[in-house]
Amino acid sequence: MKLVRFRFTTRVLLAITIVFAIALSMFVKRCRERKLAVEAIDRLQGSYSISTEGPAWLRKLLGDERMFYDLGRVSLSPRIPNFDSSRPIDDDALITAVVHLNTFPSFYKLDLMEANISDDGLLALKELKNLGHLYLDGTNVTDRGLKTLSEIRSLQRVVATDKSI
């Protein structure tokens, strides 16, 4: 039996290396964005449900699980245990969160109950691609703010039973 030897030109090897480097850089960028997004939600005192992606050996090698988190539900509600009321969730905090939430492909549920947000803060939610459920009880949102939510095509459920709406 004759051994088959592969011969590659320098150009082919260079092309393979470039393709691998581009794929790796895209993966690392996504991991970095997820880690920064989780850290931002943590700074806002949010809570979340996660699924962890990626092989266990790689997560162990890199040593930071947050790079592999995929958040499905995020709560920015002051009802969370140990919430520091001196740092309330307001419109600016919501805008900061929205910037990061699109990082997660499985994100679909946002709890803002009793947060200090208004109609202006809801405008930022139009940027969320996968928002399916939104909880707004106890907020400063009015009918005008709820009308802006109709522009979010993915939104299936809004819970806003507060009397002021």
Side-chain angles (χ1 to χ4, degrees), residues 73-93:
R73 176 201 54 83
V74 173
S75 178
L76 296 173
S77 172
R79 298 175 307 133
I80 299 169
N82 302 320
F83 186 85
D84 181 3
S85 59
S86 68
R87 295 177 22 218
I89 301 299
D90 57 12
D91 291 339
D92 293 333

Side-chain angles (χ1 to χ4, degrees), residues 1 10 13 20 46-47 78 94 101 120 124 129 142 148 152 163:
M1 184 166 124
T10 305
L13 290 175
F20 179 75
S47 67
L94 180 58
L101 290 175
D120 296 332
K129 296 179 274 191
T142 66
T148 64
I152 304 174
K163 291 183 269 184

Side-chain angles (χ1 to χ4, degrees), residues 146-157:
L146 290 178
K147 286 179 187 175
T148 64
L149 297 178
S150 66
E151 298 174 32
I152 304 174
R153 294 182 188 255
S154 61
L155 195 57
Q156 299 170 353
R157 181 178 185 191

Side-chain angles (χ1 to χ4, degrees), residues 13-29:
L13 290 175
L14 182 60
I16 291 170
T17 303
I18 289 171
V19 168
F20 179 75
I22 290 171
L24 182 62
S25 69
M26 290 170 44
F27 174 76
V28 168
K29 180 182 181 228

